Amino acid sequence: MQVQSMHFKQTASGKLNDAVLQGAMKKAKGKFVDGRALGVAEVDNWEDIRTYAAELRNRVIDNLDAYLLEFERNAIRRGAKVHWAETAEEANAIVLGIAQQNGVKTVTKSKSMVTEEIALNDVLIAAGIHVMETDLGEYILQLAHEPPSHIVAPAMHKSKEQVAELFAAAHHKPLLTDIGELTREAREQLRSHFLAADMGISGANFIVAETGTTLTVTNEGNADLVTTVPRIHCVVTGIEKVIPTLEDFATLIRLLPRSAIGQSIVNYLTLTTGVKSPDETDGPEQMHVVLVDAGRTKLVGSDMKDMLRCIRCGACMNHCPVYQNVGGHAYGWVYPGPMGSVLTPTYVGIENAGDLPNAATFCGECQVVCPVKIPLPDLMRKWRERQFDQRLRPFGERFVMSVWAFFIQRPRLYAFASRIGVRVAVWMGGKDKLIHSLPGIDGWTDGRDMPAPQGRTFRELYAARKGGQ
Amino acid sequence: MSARENILARIREKSGRNGVTSAPELAAVRAHIAEHACGPLPSISRHDPVTHFIAECARLKSTTAELDDIAALPAEVARYIAANALRMRCVGWHEFAALNWQSAGIQFDDRPANGDDLIGLTGSFCGIGETGTLLLLGAPATPKATALLPETHICVVKKSRILATMEDSFALMRNEIGEPPRATFFVSGPSRTADIEQTLVIGAHGPYRVHVILIP
């Protein structure tokens, strides 16, 4: 996907004034946030499971090479072919090569964020291959020529009226108004593609070192059709997705759907291992697994390595006040919300994504809801520090920060300056004790008043109380 | 160097290790895998598995029925078909072919389902009480397509094989057949989507209905 993250500020402003998007975001917030709370409440030892899951993900990340080799060995033993790709271009070339060597004309795809990252569809379509997204959300976006705005609910920014218009135009049918009817029509449209496809491409929620298994979770059952019907199955997945055992998967699946939307389990959960036997009627004759790096090894061993634990549940964005107001497209790349604000600068360069780690209120909710305890605010703060060090922030901001740093490193001077500052603010607040306009940051006071301080600084009050004891 | 070697070398370098992955490192990873350590289980997993299984099926919008004898299966399938106003015709796994379908007025086809079949009858390897989940293992006589392509999936599960957790199902699989087969398939209620305005719709690409029949 083409990076648009450098335009975050402008795009975000537009999204705030987009009535359709704002309506969609309001509807979604209740479902995701309330749904998760209810789902989590059913599990009495949620915190123990989180801690265990974070440790098990850490164990893999600390020995990533050995776990990948063990996965590769077992996948090959079961008849799969394992490919390694350092870059997006390499990954695309591998998949296209498999398709061309086998005379593939049509492909069905189930949702995969990695293939969004590497823009695989564009490469296949340019080579004359017919590619069909089969996840309902992804199918809607394929018709709309738009990228996903959420990693679990890719078309959440669209209203049913917009979907109805897209379907009527693409299917040459009368305009529908009912969501059930729209879903039925998509099912009927996609059925023949499922049955006719030469190759199925899926992502993997996890890959299992113990058995050489790749694993997909869906509610629609589309990944299951994609991996069962075509004669070739190609899995495109990030190298960090490996887990040691099937038991580890059982632990993670208690966290993943509950964190995403509050479901105790997803409806369809398929483990695919190798190829079909000659007397089996369903299943692929060839199975390929493409292990993609594309920037992931940059995180290994770094101060951002915690991000590699991510299991792509979307809870951090669902609970983020910034995401809730601007939606996923504002972030300008595949991964939105707090997890995206950490990942996008890694993958596309901080110079192209500078606003993202700053688009946070640091309320900390993303870390609270993260099922594998990724310290997302800390990681975003690290990006801010790096930006400051590399002089990538605007002059005004760097100047203010330098002034602030000068004072805060000199406690006596800081106490003196803040005493003056508070008194100025009290004066500015006037009779109604509200500051209506702040020179320099009037963007903030355009929409609200800032309450003026009540009198003295914390230090003064503290000193007075201590003195009184 | 190939992409594989480059990626592995980069991982090792960034992890502060040199050279290639050593035999002792691989052995340690294999030893850890061989332990099959289980994570902490929530107390919901300690409920009576069969009772909890039935309750969870209802939550997932699967229907359930209990039979005293497998011989009563054709009559139950006929009842379900009539109750849902469907056609008296179903395609199913070979293990059910010898039952008396004629007496129940059902045309039973002993073959894998194709895109035109409307009702698929399958068995299951086991059930999981914690989540109301069925585990199906793909093999020549137990094709996954039969559970996936038709609009209605009827699934038979032995009560004696309803276990507490997914961990238990993996242990049973390891005991009885060793490694997971090519297709290892967990089904938890009918196919659904909420991709349009987060509004739940039952019946996306897979079955609209899942009817679970428990037998002794």
Side-chain angles (χ1 to χ4, degrees):
Chain A
M1 181 181 161
Q2 187 117 39
V3 184
Q4 298 291 333
S5 305
M6 58 293 269
H7 307 307
F8 177 84
K9 262 190 185 167
Q10 300 94 298
T11 322
S13 309
K15 298 291 176 193
L16 289 170
N17 297 314
D18 178 338
V20 175
L21 177 80
Q22 291 301 322
M25 298 308 292
K26 262 191 206 89
K27 272 187 194 153
K29 185 181 164 186
K31 296 267 161 65
F32 291 139
V33 173
D34 302 345
R36 178 196 169 276
L38 289 171
V40 168
E42 292 170 4
V43 178
D44 50 352
N45 59 346
W46 182 256
E47 282 311 305
D48 295 345
I49 301 176
R50 270 180 91 205
T51 306
Y52 186 89
E55 282 166 7
L56 97 81
R57 291 292 290 146
N58 276 347
R59 183 181 305 125
V60 172
I61 305 308
D62 288 345
N63 293 284
L64 192 56
D65 54 329
Y67 280 101
L68 284 170
L69 287 171
E70 191 61 7
F71 167 81
E72 182 190 45
R73 185 177 76 102
N74 287 312
I76 291 172
R77 189 170 56 76
R78 293 295 301 269
K81 192 155 192 299
V82 179
H83 311 258
W84 300 67
E86 286 192 82
T87 61
E89 293 73 26
E90 267 182 39
N92 287 333
I94 290 166
V95 180
L96 181 61
I98 295 166
Q100 287 177 333
Q101 280 155 28
N102 289 285
V104 167
K105 299 209 166 49
T106 60
V107 165
T108 44
K109 276 190 74 212
S110 74
K111 197 163 77 65
S112 147
M113 297 313 290
V114 179
T115 61
E116 294 285 345
E117 247 182 69
I118 65 179
L120 175 65
N121 289 10
D122 296 346
V123 172
L124 295 177
I125 290 166
I129 295 167
H130 187 265
V131 180
M132 206 69 181
E133 290 289 350
T134 65
D135 171 85
L136 179 59
E138 291 281 346
Y139 175 66
I140 292 166
L141 297 182
Q142 193 176 18
L143 295 181
H145 304 287
E146 279 178 34
S149 70
H150 188 284
I151 62 169
V152 177
M156 62 170 288
H157 58 282
K158 286 249 174 280
S159 69
K160 70 174 178 195
E161 289 77 17
Q162 290 175 325
V163 175
E165 277 167 32
L166 284 167
F167 280 13
H171 304 156
H172 310 293
K173 294 249 173 97
L175 196 77
L176 296 171
T177 50
D178 178 68
I179 292 173
E181 284 173 20
L182 287 165
T183 306
R184 176 96 203 185
E185 189 172 288
R187 176 191 173 103
E188 282 162 7
Q189 289 289 327
L190 284 162
R191 209 14 108 101
S192 58
H193 295 282
F194 277 121
L195 297 173
D198 301 309
M199 178 156 104
I201 298 178
S202 72
N205 290 85
F206 300 105
I207 61 176
V208 185
E210 169 194 11
T211 52
T213 296
T214 69
L215 220 153
T216 53
V217 305
T218 75
N219 282 327
E220 297 183 12
N222 61 316
D224 312 279
L225 285 161
V226 160
T227 59
T228 305
V229 185
R231 62 190 161 90
I232 303 165
H233 176 203
C234 184
V235 182
V236 183
T237 186
I239 52 171
E240 83 285 14
K241 290 290 182 88
V242 65
I243 56 172
T245 64
L246 295 172
E247 280 76 6
D248 292 330
F249 171 67
T251 295
L252 292 166
I253 200 66
R254 285 196 182 89
L255 300 175
L256 176 59
R258 281 195 177 88
S259 298
I261 194 162
Q263 273 178 257
S264 58
I265 185 105
V266 294
N267 298 103
Y268 293 97
L269 222 161
T270 282
L271 287 68
T272 51
T273 316
V275 294
K276 73 173 193 140
S277 63
D279 48 352
E280 263 185 292
T281 49
D282 53 35
E285 292 153 17
Q286 291 179 38
M287 185 195 189
H288 298 268
V289 184
V290 185
L291 299 172
V292 181
D293 177 349
R296 285 158 177 77
T297 46
K298 280 192 235 169
L299 292 163
V300 176
S302 77
D303 57 354
M304 305 245 182
K305 71 173 181 182
D306 288 333
M307 199 59 222
L308 290 167
R309 289 207 293 272
C310 178
I311 61 171
R312 306 289 193 263
C313 69
C316 60
M317 58 198 74
N318 293 339
H319 291 75
C320 174
V322 178
Y323 181 92
Q324 284 166 357
N325 282 288
V326 301
H329 282 169
Y331 291 81
W333 204 53
V334 190
Y335 301 109
M339 57 87 81
S341 297
V342 177
L343 278 181
T344 306
T346 312
Y347 291 172
V348 310
I350 186 68
E351 63 283 4
N352 293 316
D355 286 329
L356 301 191
N358 295 283
T361 62
F362 278 12
C363 63
E365 193 67 5
C366 49
Q367 182 172 350
V368 172
V369 296
C370 176
V372 287
K373 295 190 170 184
I374 299 171
L376 288 153
D378 287 350
L379 301 185
M380 282 186 272
R381 191 176 299 115
K382 279 178 185 150
W383 271 124
R384 290 187 183 188
E385 285 165 12
R386 265 185 233 180
Q387 273 181 312
F388 186 82
D389 294 345
Q390 293 172 31
R391 304 177 145 259
L392 286 168
R393 296 304 300 168
F395 171 78
E397 189 179 313
R398 275 189 288 130
F399 176 73
V400 171
M401 285 300 167
S402 307
V403 172
W404 178 261
F406 176 83
F407 279 100
I408 201 135
Q409 286 170 69
R410 291 163 178 82
R412 280 165 190 282
L413 192 59
Y414 181 83
F416 175 70
S418 55
R419 237 177 10 240
I420 295 172
V422 158
R423 278 154 181 81
V424 171
V426 171
W427 172 76
M428 280 173 73
K431 261 207 316 260
D432 51 357
K433 295 187 174 165
L434 287 171
I435 299 171
H436 303 300
S437 145
L438 280 169
I441 48 167
D442 23 323
W444 200 89
T445 41
D446 277 353
R448 46 186 154 355
D449 294 328
M450 184 167 123
Q454 297 299 307
R456 292 186 294 166
T457 68
F458 173 77
R459 283 158 174 261
E460 288 177 275
L461 293 170
Y462 183 73
R465 181 171 292 194
K466 228 176 145 191
Q469 265 175 4
Chain B
M1 282 220 294
S2 70
R4 179 179 183 272
E5 273 66 52
N6 286 339
I7 292 170
L8 291 169
R10 214 157 37 232
I11 291 170
R12 292 191 64 77
E13 189 197 324
K14 301 263 316 192
S15 312
R17 289 188 286 265
N18 291 320
V20 294
T21 316
S22 69
E25 284 171 319
L26 273 174
V29 160
R30 281 179 203 157
H32 168 72
I33 286 172
E35 281 175 32
H36 294 294
C38 288
L41 300 175
S43 61
I44 41 174
S45 70
R46 289 192 292 275
H47 292 198
D48 166 48
V50 175
T51 314
H52 205 241
F53 177 86
I54 293 169
E56 288 300 303
C57 279
R59 271 215 317 174
L60 294 161
K61 299 189 167 37
S62 297
T63 50
T64 47
E66 285 188 65
L67 303 180
D68 295 330
D69 189 341
I70 181 78
L73 183 64
E76 168 56 24
V77 173
R79 183 203 66 75
Y80 180 79
I81 288 178
N84 287 281
L86 305 172
R87 281 180 58 203
M88 287 286 176
R89 179 170 186 175
C90 100
V91 57
W93 284 2
H94 178 69
E95 63 192 84
F96 304 111
L99 294 170
N100 193 348
W101 294 100
Q102 249 177 338
S103 70
I106 296 173
Q107 186 188 330
F108 181 89
D109 295 316
D110 174 14
R111 58 169 172 78
N114 60 46
D116 299 322
D117 292 311
L118 293 175
I119 302 177
L121 174 67
T122 74
S124 59
F125 178 72
C126 66
I128 295 159
E130 182 180 338
T131 48
T133 298
L134 296 152
L135 174 54
L136 280 63
L137 300 182
T142 56
K144 180 172 145 184
T146 306
L148 197 55
L149 286 173
E151 290 188 357
T152 301
H153 174 204
I154 302 176
C155 185
V156 178
V157 60
K158 285 191 176 134
K159 273 199 273 190
S160 58
R161 290 181 74 92
I162 295 179
L163 314 169
T165 65
M166 190 179 275
E167 284 88 340
D168 293 334
S169 77
F170 288 134
L172 186 69
M173 183 166 73
R174 218 170 268 129
N175 253 332
E176 293 188 353
I177 62 164
E179 294 198 287
R182 182 195 55 76
T184 303
F185 187 40
F186 290 94
V187 177
S188 310
S191 159
R192 69 194 64 195
T193 181
D195 270 344
I196 306 177
E197 296 193 351
Q198 287 75 52
T199 302
L200 181 71
V201 178
I202 299 290
H205 302 298
Y208 284 72
R209 303 171 202 91
V210 175
H211 185 52
V212 183
I213 301 176
L214 294 91
I215 59 170

